Amino acid sequence: MAYKTITQDKIIEETIKKSRFLCHMKRVSSEQEARDYIAQIKKEHHKANHSCSAMIIGDKSEIKRSSDDGEPSGTAGIPMLTVLEKQELTNLVAVVTRYFGGIKLGTGGLIRAYSGCVAHAIADIGIVEVKRQDGIQVELTYSQYQSFPNFLTSQRLQEAETEFSDRVLSTIFVDPEKSTACIEDLNEFYNGKVTTKKAGNQIVEVPMNN
């Protein structure tokens, strides 16, 4: 399991030719949750002219939906969805609410406005990769543990848990496809004089540059 989504829920506001655009971004886990959120936004902004939406749901982006909500066909929902697709995001919904300011934007202007609002919101919020990692428990002597930070730094890893008794038990988490190589590297680092065992797994969110 691995997918990309936004770091958090957030609302971003822009003014384009006197029209007020509010981009609501929310992480969701189901289509119903996304639809409930869209309904909530429409209720909160019932005086707005439009609340257009786009959603992608599923770890493999299985569900994709969009709505122009009264804007000319193809000028809002699909452009918004396209931005989410290009960023390879999923498990989120975007709702852009428009309060008309008196100046018509035209087809091209609407497409740029709605897609731009979503793109700007994503850039402001940031992206994380959500993935599962495998745990490895490492049993070390106290003298071995003194050099353990050097190994972690070289592998770009961090300790998740540490227990101190007659020996040191340290738990680290790595991507599943890297666990075997990590154990081999540990054995090489300590000349085969180290004990390791699997220690469950966890879901992590890794910030990405976007």
Side-chain angles (χ1 to χ4, degrees):
M1 182 207 79
Y3 63 87
K4 294 193 296 184
T5 192
I6 52 174
T7 61
Q8 61 181 319
D9 304 343
K10 199 168 184 179
I11 302 172
I12 305 296
E13 182 173 343
E14 290 187 38
T15 299
I16 302 172
K17 292 187 177 179
K18 297 186 178 180
S19 280
R20 182 183 172 210
F21 289 84
L22 294 167
C23 182
H24 310 78
M25 302 284 292
K26 181 176 177 60
R27 290 172 59 159
V28 293
S29 57
S30 69
E31 182 176 355
Q32 188 58 54
E33 185 181 359
R35 292 192 179 281
D36 290 345
Y37 183 68
I38 294 169
Q40 173 191 327
I41 297 302
K42 287 186 174 182
K43 184 176 181 180
E44 290 177 2
H45 296 276
H46 61 277
K47 293 184 179 180
N49 300 85
H50 311 277
S51 282
C52 307
S53 60
M55 71 175 82
I56 301 180
I57 312 293
D59 294 354
K60 296 182 180 180
S61 305
E62 299 94 332
I63 300 171
K64 297 181 180 182
R65 304 280 187 266
S66 66
S67 170
D68 294 316
D69 194 40
E71 290 283 30
S73 180
T75 62
I78 292 297
M80 292 166 59
L81 184 64
T82 299
V83 174
L84 302 183
E85 289 175 326
K86 286 183 177 179
Q87 295 277 12
E88 299 179 336
L89 303 179
T90 189
N91 291 333
L92 80 166
V93 58
V95 185
V96 177
T97 298
R98 181 191 183 192
Y99 287 88
F100 183 56
I103 299 176
K104 292 186 176 181
L105 300 180
T107 300
L110 288 171
I111 292 172
R112 287 190 295 273
Y114 280 101
S115 62
C117 283
V118 174
H120 298 157
I122 293 170
D124 182 85
I125 297 169
I127 296 172
V128 290
E129 182 181 17
V130 182
K131 58 184 178 180
R132 186 182 302 278
Q133 290 189 322
D134 289 343
I136 300 172
Q137 188 181 74
V138 188
E139 183 178 323
L140 302 162
T141 64
Y142 276 83
S143 61
Q144 286 176 324
Y145 186 66
Q146 291 180 357
S147 61
F148 194 50
N150 296 333
F151 174 80
L152 295 177
T153 299
S154 69
Q155 299 288 321
R156 297 183 179 179
L157 297 172
Q158 292 183 335
E159 283 185 278
E161 300 172 9
T162 311
E163 298 178 25
F164 298 96
S165 56
D166 58 324
R167 298 171 75 84
V168 182
L169 297 178
S170 177
T171 302
I172 57 178
F173 286 89
V174 300
D175 295 345
E177 66 274 15
K178 297 179 181 178
S179 60
T180 299
C182 182
I183 292 172
E184 290 175 352
D185 290 340
L186 271 165
N187 278 298
E188 183 179 346
F189 188 81
Y190 287 110
N191 297 315
K193 297 178 181 179
V194 67
T195 302
T196 61
K197 69 176 183 178
K198 293 183 179 180
N201 55 62
Q202 67 175 8
I203 303 298
V204 298
E205 297 188 3
V206 181
M208 303 185 68
N209 295 324
N210 61 308

